[in-house]
């Protein structure tokens, strides 16, 4: 039988007192949210580091360069997942923490709609990666590291997300997230906030000339992004944005 230690729980209060306590907490939560927005704005102004080394990966279709991992999009996020000999769970499973993170990844169509690609990379052969993805139901692109990419970008001994942007064929590293920062990754917002272009919405504080669209207007069902412009949704989303702005929710 499992024994439970006594918990010192919070006080039990009336609905009125509960609502008042919640309003006090909401003030702090909104301040934290605004601080996170400001931090993301600073992140978009971080200097870039050009990647001048040619890295080679193995993918499901053979050899691939770092540029190939972009899949033609402007931005790329590469997560180094530990799946290889010597990792606990091999060969049936990847690292438990990396696997937990993989289970959090949302539908990639939304990220792709913002000109951003997410890719995973490990040292396991492609045959094992394919088998693992099928077993676990994961759909993100997943490549095999064949050179010093992991060491060069700080993920040879620990997991992490490296963020890149390209200008034509030139590639730049723009940010790096690891340790507890990885815990928050998985939603489209967490990924976009880590990128140099951000969410690309007009409310954001971004450098001049950065791509931006009205809030909500680009949101879509994950199977409908190829359908083109939806004038009705543009009107609905504009009305919703105005309502939230009037309430001071942004």
């Amino acid at each position: 039988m499992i024994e439970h230690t006594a918990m010192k729980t919070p006080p039990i209060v009336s609905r009125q007192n509960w609502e008042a306590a919640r309003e006090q907490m909401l003030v702090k939560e909104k301040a934290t949210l605004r601080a996170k927005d400001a931090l993301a704005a600073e992140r978009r102004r971080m200097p870039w580091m050009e990647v001048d080394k040619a890295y080679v990966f193995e993918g499901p279709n053979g050899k691939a360069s770092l540029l190939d991992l972009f899949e033609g999009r402007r931005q790329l996020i590469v997560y180094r997942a530990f799946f290889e000999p010597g990792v606990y769970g091999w060969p049936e499973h990847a690292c438990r923490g990396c696997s937990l993170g993989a289970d959090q990844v949302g539908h990639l169509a939304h990220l792709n709609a913002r000109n951003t690609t997410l890719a995973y990379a490990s040292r396991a052969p492609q045959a094992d990666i394919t088998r693992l993805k099928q077993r676990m139901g994961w759909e993100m692109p997943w490549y095999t590291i064949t050179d010093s990419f992991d060491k060069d970008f700080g993920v040879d001994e620990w997991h992490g997300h490296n963020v890149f942007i390209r200008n034509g064929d030139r590639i730049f590293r723009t940010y790096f997230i690891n340790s507890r920062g990885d815990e928050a990754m998985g939603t489209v917002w967490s990924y976009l906030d880590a990128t140099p272009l951000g969410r690309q919405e007009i409310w954001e504080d971004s450098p001049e000339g950065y791509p931006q669209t009205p809030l909500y207007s680009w949101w879509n069902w994950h199977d409908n992004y190829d359908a083109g412009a939806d004038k009705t949704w543009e009107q609905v989303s504009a009305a919703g944005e105005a309502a939230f702005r009037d309430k001071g929710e942004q």
Side-chain angles (χ1 to χ4, degrees):
M1 179 181 295
I2 299 176
E3 295 185 3
H4 297 280
T5 58
M7 294 175 55
K8 186 176 181 180
T9 60
I12 309 301
V13 298
S14 66
R15 176 184 292 271
Q16 182 178 8
N17 288 341
W18 186 91
E19 292 287 355
R22 190 257 177 181
E23 287 298 322
Q24 291 178 359
M25 182 61 68
L26 189 59
V27 171
K28 297 178 181 180
E29 289 180 349
K30 287 190 175 183
T32 299
L33 186 63
R34 300 295 180 266
K36 290 177 66 177
D37 290 342
L39 186 62
E42 289 187 45
R43 189 180 297 120
R44 289 190 288 277
R45 291 167 171 81
M46 282 273 295
W48 297 356
M49 180 193 80
E50 185 160 13
V51 179
D52 52 13
K53 185 175 180 178
Y55 294 98
V56 178
F57 302 83
E58 286 287 342
N61 299 316
K63 293 187 181 301
S65 66
L66 183 58
L67 185 63
D68 291 330
L69 270 57
F70 281 79
E71 296 182 348
R73 301 183 183 93
R74 185 79 188 277
Q75 301 184 126
L76 170 68
I77 303 169
V78 180
Y79 176 68
R80 200 309 195 191
F82 279 83
F83 179 47
E84 58 208 56
V87 172
Y88 182 77
W90 172 266
E92 288 79 17
H93 285 288
C95 154
R96 286 192 177 186
C98 298
S99 299
L100 180 61
D103 283 337
Q104 297 179 143
V105 175
H107 202 290
L108 296 180
H110 307 295
L111 197 59
N112 296 163
R114 285 330 236 178
N115 214 4
T116 304
T117 298
L118 172 70
Y120 270 43
S122 300
R123 286 202 169 269
Q126 277 297 296
D128 293 297
I129 290 174
T130 299
R131 171 180 51 77
L132 178 69
K133 289 175 63 178
Q134 291 175 344
R135 171 175 181 164
M136 302 300 287
W138 297 330
E139 297 183 356
M140 70 283 287
W142 199 321
Y143 297 87
T144 301
I145 301 169
T146 67
D147 48 30
S148 62
F149 175 85
D150 49 0
K151 184 177 181 179
D152 293 349
F153 290 96
V155 287
D156 54 325
E157 297 181 351
W158 198 244
H159 54 81
H161 290 81
N162 275 283
V163 185
F164 303 92
I165 193 170
R166 70 181 182 92
N167 184 6
D169 290 344
R170 296 177 66 189
I171 300 174
F172 306 88
R173 186 191 196 193
T174 63
Y175 205 64
F176 178 55
I177 297 172
N178 66 350
S179 298
R180 286 198 63 193
D182 283 336
E183 296 176 2
M185 307 304 286
T187 68
V188 61
W189 313 120
S190 62
Y191 289 127
L192 290 177
D193 285 346
T195 65
L197 298 183
R199 303 185 185 191
Q200 302 162 55
E201 296 177 339
I202 56 175
W203 63 270
E204 287 182 301
D205 175 12
S206 292
E208 183 178 356
Y210 275 42
Q212 291 187 322
T213 59
L215 180 65
Y216 309 133
S217 67
W218 67 274
W219 295 15
N220 210 330
W221 299 290
H222 73 249
D223 63 349
N224 197 56
Y225 279 105
D226 294 331
D230 185 337
K231 297 299 183 182
T232 301
W233 171 246
E234 290 179 3
Q235 295 172 359
V236 171
S237 62
E241 189 274 337
F244 273 92
R245 183 175 62 247
D246 291 342
K247 291 175 62 178
E249 293 293 335
Q250 293 184 31

